[in-house]
PDB file of all heavy atoms in Angstrom:
ATOM      1  N   SER A  52      10.223  89.007 174.924  1.00  0.00           N
ATOM      2  CA  SER A  52       9.590  88.323 173.793  1.00  0.00           C
ATOM      3  C   SER A  52       8.244  88.951 173.456  1.00  0.00           C
ATOM      4  O   SER A  52       7.856  89.012 172.283  1.00  0.00           O
ATOM      5  CB  SER A  52       9.428  86.827 174.086  1.00  0.00           C
ATOM      6  OG  SER A  52       8.558  86.605 175.170  1.00  0.00           O
ATOM      7  N   SER A  53       7.515  89.440 174.461  1.00  0.00           N
ATOM      8  CA  SER A  53       6.229  90.097 174.202  1.00  0.00           C
ATOM      9  C   SER A  53       6.423  91.386 173.418  1.00  0.00           C
ATOM     10  O   SER A  53       5.639  91.708 172.519  1.00  0.00           O
ATOM     11  CB  SER A  53       5.515  90.390 175.526  1.00  0.00           C
ATOM     12  OG  SER A  53       5.232  89.205 176.218  1.00  0.00           O
ATOM     13  N   LYS A  54       7.475  92.111 173.763  1.00  0.00           N
ATOM     14  CA  LYS A  54       7.780  93.336 173.016  1.00  0.00           C
ATOM     15  C   LYS A  54       8.087  93.002 171.560  1.00  0.00           C
ATOM     16  O   LYS A  54       7.607  93.675 170.633  1.00  0.00           O
ATOM     17  CB  LYS A  54       8.971  94.044 173.666  1.00  0.00           C
ATOM     18  CG  LYS A  54       9.379  95.333 172.935  1.00  0.00           C
ATOM     19  CD  LYS A  54      10.620  95.947 173.588  1.00  0.00           C
ATOM     20  CE  LYS A  54      11.090  97.168 172.794  1.00  0.00           C
ATOM     21  NZ  LYS A  54      12.361  97.716 173.346  1.00  0.00           N
ATOM     22  N   TYR A  55       8.891  91.952 171.368  1.00  0.00           N
ATOM     23  CA  TYR A  55       9.206  91.517 170.001  1.00  0.00           C
ATOM     24  C   TYR A  55       7.936  91.130 169.254  1.00  0.00           C
ATOM     25  O   TYR A  55       7.740  91.488 168.090  1.00  0.00           O
ATOM     26  CB  TYR A  55      10.164  90.325 170.035  1.00  0.00           C
ATOM     27  CG  TYR A  55      10.420  89.730 168.666  1.00  0.00           C
ATOM     28  CD1 TYR A  55      11.442  90.210 167.855  1.00  0.00           C
ATOM     29  CD2 TYR A  55       9.613  88.702 168.172  1.00  0.00           C
ATOM     30  CE1 TYR A  55      11.665  89.681 166.596  1.00  0.00           C
ATOM     31  CE2 TYR A  55       9.826  88.164 166.916  1.00  0.00           C
ATOM     32  CZ  TYR A  55      10.855  88.659 166.134  1.00  0.00           C
ATOM     33  OH  TYR A  55      11.056  88.140 164.885  1.00  0.00           O
ATOM     34  N   ALA A  56       7.049  90.389 169.925  1.00  0.00           N
ATOM     35  CA  ALA A  56       5.807  89.940 169.284  1.00  0.00           C
ATOM     36  C   ALA A  56       4.962  91.130 168.847  1.00  0.00           C
ATOM     37  O   ALA A  56       4.364  91.123 167.764  1.00  0.00           O
ATOM     38  CB  ALA A  56       5.019  89.054 170.245  1.00  0.00           C
ATOM     39  N   GLY A  57       4.912  92.171 169.691  1.00  0.00           N
ATOM     40  CA  GLY A  57       4.157  93.369 169.330  1.00  0.00           C
ATOM     41  C   GLY A  57       4.727  94.054 168.099  1.00  0.00           C
ATOM     42  O   GLY A  57       3.979  94.490 167.209  1.00  0.00           O
ATOM     43  N   GLU A  58       6.062  94.126 168.035  1.00  0.00           N
ATOM     44  CA  GLU A  58       6.712  94.738 166.866  1.00  0.00           C
ATOM     45  C   GLU A  58       6.451  93.905 165.609  1.00  0.00           C
ATOM     46  O   GLU A  58       6.160  94.448 164.536  1.00  0.00           O
ATOM     47  CB  GLU A  58       8.219  94.852 167.119  1.00  0.00           C
ATOM     48  CG  GLU A  58       8.597  95.818 168.239  1.00  0.00           C
ATOM     49  CD  GLU A  58      10.068  95.726 168.608  1.00  0.00           C
ATOM     50  OE1 GLU A  58      10.760  94.821 168.089  1.00  0.00           O
ATOM     51  OE2 GLU A  58      10.521  96.556 169.422  1.00  0.00           O
ATOM     52  N   ALA A  59       6.565  92.572 165.757  1.00  0.00           N
ATOM     53  CA  ALA A  59       6.353  91.698 164.602  1.00  0.00           C
ATOM     54  C   ALA A  59       4.910  91.769 164.114  1.00  0.00           C
ATOM     55  O   ALA A  59       4.640  91.785 162.903  1.00  0.00           O
ATOM     56  CB  ALA A  59       6.713  90.259 164.971  1.00  0.00           C
ATOM     57  N   LEU A  60       3.961  91.823 165.043  1.00  0.00           N
ATOM     58  CA  LEU A  60       2.546  91.913 164.673  1.00  0.00           C
ATOM     59  C   LEU A  60       2.272  93.205 163.912  1.00  0.00           C
ATOM     60  O   LEU A  60       1.566  93.214 162.890  1.00  0.00           O
ATOM     61  CB  LEU A  60       1.684  91.834 165.931  1.00  0.00           C
ATOM     62  CG  LEU A  60       0.171  91.914 165.722  1.00  0.00           C
ATOM     63  CD1 LEU A  60      -0.322  90.764 164.850  1.00  0.00           C
ATOM     64  CD2 LEU A  60      -0.558  91.915 167.065  1.00  0.00           C
ATOM     65  N   LYS A  61       2.850  94.291 164.376  1.00  0.00           N
ATOM     66  CA  LYS A  61       2.659  95.593 163.717  1.00  0.00           C
ATOM     67  C   LYS A  61       3.223  95.559 162.300  1.00  0.00           C
ATOM     68  O   LYS A  61       2.589  96.026 161.347  1.00  0.00           O
ATOM     69  CB  LYS A  61       3.322  96.694 164.535  1.00  0.00           C
ATOM     70  CG  LYS A  61       3.096  98.096 163.986  1.00  0.00           C
ATOM     71  CD  LYS A  61       3.721  99.133 164.898  1.00  0.00           C
ATOM     72  CE  LYS A  61       3.502 100.542 164.346  1.00  0.00           C
ATOM     73  NZ  LYS A  61       4.119 101.573 165.237  1.00  0.00           N
ATOM     74  N   VAL A  62       4.404  94.983 162.144  1.00  0.00           N
ATOM     75  CA  VAL A  62       5.034  94.896 160.826  1.00  0.00           C
ATOM     76  C   VAL A  62       4.206  94.016 159.888  1.00  0.00           C
ATOM     77  O   VAL A  62       4.068  94.311 158.692  1.00  0.00           O
ATOM     78  CB  VAL A  62       6.472  94.348 160.954  1.00  0.00           C
ATOM     79  CG1 VAL A  62       7.031  93.928 159.594  1.00  0.00           C
ATOM     80  CG2 VAL A  62       7.380  95.381 161.605  1.00  0.00           C
ATOM     81  N   SER A  63       3.634  92.944 160.439  1.00  0.00           N
ATOM     82  CA  SER A  63       2.889  91.996 159.599  1.00  0.00           C
ATOM     83  C   SER A  63       1.559  92.550 159.110  1.00  0.00           C
ATOM     84  O   SER A  63       1.056  92.136 158.060  1.00  0.00           O
ATOM     85  CB  SER A  63       2.629  90.705 160.379  1.00  0.00           C
ATOM     86  OG  SER A  63       1.624  90.902 161.367  1.00  0.00           O
ATOM     87  N   GLY A  64       0.956  93.458 159.888  1.00  0.00           N
ATOM     88  CA  GLY A  64      -0.355  93.988 159.529  1.00  0.00           C
ATOM     89  C   GLY A  64      -1.489  92.981 159.742  1.00  0.00           C
ATOM     90  O   GLY A  64      -2.613  93.203 159.279  1.00  0.00           O
ATOM     91  N   ARG A  65      -1.223  91.885 160.460  1.00  0.00           N
ATOM     92  CA  ARG A  65      -2.234  90.852 160.673  1.00  0.00           C
ATOM     93  C   ARG A  65      -3.155  91.213 161.845  1.00  0.00           C
ATOM     94  O   ARG A  65      -2.794  91.993 162.735  1.00  0.00           O
ATOM     95  CB  ARG A  65      -1.577  89.510 160.971  1.00  0.00           C
ATOM     96  CG  ARG A  65      -0.690  88.965 159.888  1.00  0.00           C
ATOM     97  CD  ARG A  65      -1.478  88.468 158.688  1.00  0.00           C
ATOM     98  NE  ARG A  65      -0.655  87.614 157.833  1.00  0.00           N
ATOM     99  CZ  ARG A  65      -1.057  87.073 156.690  1.00  0.00           C
ATOM    100  NH1 ARG A  65      -2.296  87.311 156.262  1.00  0.00           N
ATOM    101  NH2 ARG A  65      -0.253  86.306 155.975  1.00  0.00           N
ATOM    102  N   ASP A  66      -4.314  90.584 161.842  1.00  0.00           N
ATOM    103  CA  ASP A  66      -5.260  90.726 162.945  1.00  0.00           C
ATOM    104  C   ASP A  66      -5.201  89.453 163.781  1.00  0.00           C
ATOM    105  O   ASP A  66      -6.022  88.538 163.631  1.00  0.00           O
ATOM    106  CB  ASP A  66      -6.677  90.964 162.405  1.00  0.00           C
ATOM    107  CG  ASP A  66      -7.699  91.130 163.522  1.00  0.00           C
ATOM    108  OD1 ASP A  66      -7.274  91.440 164.651  1.00  0.00           O
ATOM    109  OD2 ASP A  66      -8.906  90.939 163.260  1.00  0.00           O
ATOM    110  N   VAL A  67      -4.212  89.365 164.650  1.00  0.00           N
ATOM    111  CA  VAL A  67      -3.993  88.184 165.480  1.00  0.00           C
ATOM    112  C   VAL A  67      -4.008  88.606 166.947  1.00  0.00           C
ATOM    113  O   VAL A  67      -3.409  89.614 167.311  1.00  0.00           O
ATOM    114  CB  VAL A  67      -2.638  87.506 165.158  1.00  0.00           C
ATOM    115  CG1 VAL A  67      -2.402  86.301 166.052  1.00  0.00           C
ATOM    116  CG2 VAL A  67      -2.578  87.104 163.694  1.00  0.00           C
ATOM    117  N   LYS A  68      -4.675  87.830 167.771  1.00  0.00           N
ATOM    118  CA  LYS A  68      -4.652  88.085 169.201  1.00  0.00           C
ATOM    119  C   LYS A  68      -3.396  87.441 169.778  1.00  0.00           C
ATOM    120  O   LYS A  68      -3.269  86.220 169.810  1.00  0.00           O
ATOM    121  CB  LYS A  68      -5.898  87.504 169.872  1.00  0.00           C
ATOM    122  CG  LYS A  68      -5.922  87.720 171.389  1.00  0.00           C
ATOM    123  CD  LYS A  68      -7.136  87.049 172.034  1.00  0.00           C
ATOM    124  CE  LYS A  68      -7.106  87.234 173.554  1.00  0.00           C
ATOM    125  NZ  LYS A  68      -8.245  86.540 174.206  1.00  0.00           N
ATOM    126  N   ILE A  69      -2.447  88.270 170.218  1.00  0.00           N
ATOM    127  CA  ILE A  69      -1.223  87.774 170.855  1.00  0.00           C
ATOM    128  C   ILE A  69      -1.185  88.289 172.284  1.00  0.00           C
ATOM    129  O   ILE A  69      -1.314  89.490 172.518  1.00  0.00           O
ATOM    130  CB  ILE A  69       0.044  88.216 170.087  1.00  0.00           C
ATOM    131  CG1 ILE A  69       0.009  87.730 168.630  1.00  0.00           C
ATOM    132  CG2 ILE A  69       1.293  87.697 170.784  1.00  0.00           C
ATOM    133  CD1 ILE A  69       1.231  88.113 167.810  1.00  0.00           C
ATOM    134  N   TRP A  70      -1.043  87.383 173.234  1.00  0.00           N
ATOM    135  CA  TRP A  70      -0.978  87.789 174.633  1.00  0.00           C
ATOM    136  C   TRP A  70       0.034  86.926 175.374  1.00  0.00           C
ATOM    137  O   TRP A  70       0.497  85.902 174.857  1.00  0.00           O
ATOM    138  CB  TRP A  70      -2.360  87.704 175.299  1.00  0.00           C
ATOM    139  CG  TRP A  70      -3.020  86.358 175.243  1.00  0.00           C
ATOM    140  CD1 TRP A  70      -3.587  85.751 174.161  1.00  0.00           C
ATOM    141  CD2 TRP A  70      -3.161  85.444 176.337  1.00  0.00           C
ATOM    142  NE1 TRP A  70      -4.084  84.509 174.504  1.00  0.00           N
ATOM    143  CE2 TRP A  70      -3.863  84.299 175.824  1.00  0.00           C
ATOM    144  CE3 TRP A  70      -2.818  85.466 177.688  1.00  0.00           C
ATOM    145  CZ2 TRP A  70      -4.184  83.205 176.635  1.00  0.00           C
ATOM    146  CZ3 TRP A  70      -3.139  84.377 178.490  1.00  0.00           C
ATOM    147  CH2 TRP A  70      -3.823  83.266 177.958  1.00  0.00           C
ATOM    148  N   SER A  71       0.379  87.348 176.586  1.00  0.00           N
ATOM    149  CA  SER A  71       1.451  86.694 177.336  1.00  0.00           C
ATOM    150  C   SER A  71       0.980  86.340 178.733  1.00  0.00           C
ATOM    151  O   SER A  71       0.119  87.008 179.307  1.00  0.00           O
ATOM    152  CB  SER A  71       2.664  87.625 177.445  1.00  0.00           C
ATOM    153  OG  SER A  71       3.097  88.044 176.178  1.00  0.00           O
TER     154      SER A  71
END
Side-chain angles (χ1 to χ4, degrees):
S52 64
S53 298
K54 179 183 176 185
Y55 174 88
E58 294 170 353
L60 180 61
K61 184 177 180 180
V62 166
S63 74
R65 299 288 196 182
D66 180 20
V67 178
K68 179 184 178 182
I69 302 181
W70 57 287
S71 304

